[in-house]
Amino acid sequence: MKNQQTLTNTIAFVKTQLQDAEGGHDWFHIERVYKNALLISKNEAVDDFVVALGALLHDIADSKFHNGNETIGPQTAREFLFKENVDSKTIEHVVQIITHISYSSSLDPNKSFSSPELDVVQDADRLDALGAIGIARTFNYGGFKNRALYNPDIKPDLNMDKATYKKSDSPTINHFYEKLLLLKDKMNTKTGQQIAEQRHQFMVEFLEQFFAEWDGKR
């Protein structure tokens, strides 16, 4: 009962914190990731409470919207969970999930944390970057940053390290090759892999249509 009340309070907190967020990183993104995480966790040996909190709080202060500062999100979550009287072990686990969930973190060779719960939440977050919603979110963010849709003269950089990735301002289409199309093979769980396959194929078909239209072939 206590855990359920904590989750109810967490949902209310996240909705308030993200009420003015960019459309691809708003409450509805959190809700989709939360639902994906609950679905994936059914087939994994994990602490469901940690998974739920990690999913709900994973983007509470995304560094992209805080001048690249990666400490604000984990600290905000820590302070909130402390006020909710969540035990210290759970708090630390959730904070580590938030710290290590991002794609850019996976590019860091010094990554120092892993857990089945992180695997589930990370897969859930990555699924929301794939398929129809992934395409919509990508162009929404590209518009938010005033990026070009596509520029044939700017080729995707397939060998970015974490720092380069975080500073990239390349056209939106490049993002498919620099991240989105790579996610299918980076999923951690069997359920995540299965869902990612179909969403990946949808994006491949979208890109085929995009380039056909760009070149005046369809």
Side-chain angles (χ1 to χ4, degrees), residues 25 62-64 68 70 101-109 125-126 129 137-138 141 145 147 156-183 186:
H25 298 81
D62 191 312
S63 64
K64 288 192 292 294
E70 297 180 352
I101 190 174
S102 71
Y103 182 75
S104 62
S105 291
S106 72
L107 301 175
D108 185 349
D125 188 37
R126 288 176 173 177
R137 291 181 67 219
T138 300
Y141 185 72
K145 299 294 286 187
R147 292 178 179 171
D157 182 350
L158 304 181
N159 297 294
M160 288 189 286
D161 58 17
K162 180 178 179 180
T164 304
Y165 176 83
K166 291 191 70 173
K167 293 178 181 178
S168 175
D169 60 356
S170 60
T172 298
I173 284 293
N174 288 25
H175 190 61
F176 285 83
Y177 298 94
E178 294 168 347
K179 175 185 176 182
L180 306 188
L181 293 175
L182 306 178
L183 294 179
K186 293 181 177 290

Side-chain angles (χ1 to χ4, degrees), residues 115-150:
S115 76
E117 289 78 11
L118 170 60
D119 288 347
V120 168
V121 180
Q122 191 171 60
D123 276 9
D125 188 37
R126 288 176 173 177
L127 285 177
D128 208 52
L130 298 174
I133 287 176
I135 293 169
R137 291 181 67 219
T138 300
F139 283 101
N140 190 84
Y141 185 72
F144 178 79
K145 299 294 286 187
N146 197 31
R147 292 178 179 171
L149 290 178
Y150 174 56

Side-chain angles (χ1 to χ4, degrees), residues 185-202:
D185 295 327
K186 293 181 177 290
M187 304 301 286
N188 304 300
T189 66
K190 185 175 181 180
T191 301
Q193 291 167 1
Q194 290 172 343
I195 299 172
E197 285 283 350
Q198 188 274 333
R199 297 192 184 194
H200 175 89
Q201 186 57 38
F202 186 89

Side-chain angles (χ1 to χ4, degrees), residues 11 14 30 45 74 77-78 82 85 89 93 114 161 185 202 211:
I11 289 171
V14 174
I30 302 300
R78 186 189 299 278
F82 180 79
N85 295 313
K89 183 178 179 180
H93 197 162
S114 63
D161 58 17
D185 295 327
F202 186 89
F211 288 118

